[in-house]
Amino acid sequence: MVRKKVLITGASRGIGEACAYLLAGQGYDLYLSCLTNYQLLEKVKDRIETEYGVSCGIFCCDVGNYEQVRNLFRQISVPDVIINNAGQAYMGLLGDMTAEQWQQVMNTNLNSVFYTCREAVPEMVRRHSGKILNISSVWGEAGASMEVAYSTAKAGMNGFTKALARELAPCNIQVNALALGLMDTEMNRCLTAEELNDICEEIPVGRMGTPAEAAHMVLQIIKSPDYLTGQIITMDGGWI
């Protein structure tokens, strides 16, 4: 039996890494990319191929750069599932942010989603099948002070998800997004223990979410019925 293939961007740690292990355990072959942490990605690959017996191709790729994404797709077959997980945060006043920093956040969080989909969608349409899952944030809906660029990029991702889902639904391709709340990942390690505690007191379940929980939700979405498309599914502990 031919195993389905999944591309996960930003897979060297955190949510992407957790998704890689969980999907490998479900029998998916994997393509994993990261920006700079290639040694970490090698460790992920070694564990996956040793413990789960599936194939795992790894790539250094700036998914915010279209030429690098095109080059990635020249090296792989178009996957059955794309998980657009790569992300970059910026915390600070808008007035202190440079144009270059703004563009970097947009490239990593939003333009990358267009780039991977632009390369994969024509073949998915030809096959009349495919699933695309974009990892979003509650800030894409609510907006966060001191995170204007990140919130804007995730709001754009949500709009992209809904529009592309409508465009591709006649071709039996499902496009959804998972909007996460505060997660226990490297992205939030810039917050102090006091700041994290204050935020957790606002979250009804009283804690951050874990990468493993996010991965389990990802699996549920990509295994969901084909009638589920165009949805922004929130998992935030009841926070927003």
Side-chain angles (χ1 to χ4, degrees), residues 28-42:
Y28 290 89
D29 286 334
L30 302 174
Y31 301 126
L32 308 179
S33 78
C34 70
L35 178 59
T36 58
N37 294 316
Y38 193 73
Q39 289 184 324
L40 293 179
L41 209 55
E42 287 180 318

Side-chain angles (χ1 to χ4, degrees), residues 108-187:
T108 303
N109 293 285
L110 180 57
N111 292 345
S112 62
V113 179
F114 163 67
Y115 298 155
T116 58
C117 291
R118 175 63 185 83
E119 291 303 299
V121 161
E123 175 62 18
M124 287 182 171
V125 169
R126 190 192 68 79
R127 296 176 185 167
H128 209 73
S129 69
K131 289 183 182 286
I132 299 166
L133 178 57
N134 302 319
I135 305 301
S136 188
S137 167
V138 293
W139 297 141
E141 177 65 26
S145 174
M146 306 286 284
E147 293 190 69
V148 173
Y150 183 77
S151 300
T152 301
K154 293 303 185 180
M157 176 187 280
N158 292 349
F160 181 98
T161 298
K162 293 177 182 179
L164 189 62
R166 286 176 173 266
E167 182 174 318
L168 298 180
C171 299
N172 191 38
I173 300 166
Q174 294 76 47
V175 188
N176 293 291
L178 174 59
L180 297 170
L182 184 69
M183 305 301 293
D184 187 9
T185 62
E186 190 72 27
M187 186 178 290

Side-chain angles (χ1 to χ4, degrees), residues 59-226:
F59 306 89
C60 257
C61 176
D62 179 0
V63 290
N65 180 302
Y66 183 44
E67 287 306 315
Q68 291 195 30
V69 173
R70 289 185 67 190
N71 185 57
L72 169 63
F73 273 83
R74 291 188 187 106
Q75 300 175 67
I76 66 175
S77 58
V78 171
D80 303 280
V81 180
I82 294 177
I83 300 171
N84 286 307
N85 170 70
Q88 176 183 344
Y90 175 92
M91 292 188 183
L93 294 170
L94 181 69
D96 293 333
M97 189 176 200
T98 66
E100 290 76 17
Q101 289 170 325
W102 173 274
Q103 192 60 56
Q104 184 62 45
V105 172
M106 292 299 148
N107 285 341
T108 303
N109 293 285
L110 180 57
N111 292 345
S112 62
V113 179
F114 163 67
Y115 298 155
T116 58
C117 291
R118 175 63 185 83
E119 291 303 299
V121 161
E123 175 62 18
M124 287 182 171
V125 169
R126 190 192 68 79
R127 296 176 185 167
H128 209 73
S129 69
K131 289 183 182 286
I132 299 166
L133 178 57
N134 302 319
I135 305 301
S136 188
S137 167
V138 293
W139 297 141
E141 177 65 26
S145 174
M146 306 286 284
E147 293 190 69
V148 173
Y150 183 77
S151 300
T152 301
K154 293 303 185 180
M157 176 187 280
N158 292 349
F160 181 98
T161 298
K162 293 177 182 179
L164 189 62
R166 286 176 173 266
E167 182 174 318
L168 298 180
C171 299
N172 191 38
I173 300 166
Q174 294 76 47
V175 188
N176 293 291
L178 174 59
L180 297 170
L182 184 69
M183 305 301 293
D184 187 9
T185 62
E186 190 72 27
M187 186 178 290
N188 290 314
R189 303 277 159 75
C190 60
L191 299 171
T192 66
E194 183 178 1
E195 288 170 333
L196 287 172
N197 184 67
D198 288 343
I199 296 173
C200 287
E201 287 182 354
E202 299 175 3
I203 300 172
V205 302
R207 63 174 177 83
M208 293 185 283
T210 68
E213 288 174 316
H216 277 282
M217 195 67 209
V218 165
L219 179 62
Q220 289 184 50
I221 294 170
I222 65 176
K223 285 200 162 188
S224 64
D226 292 348

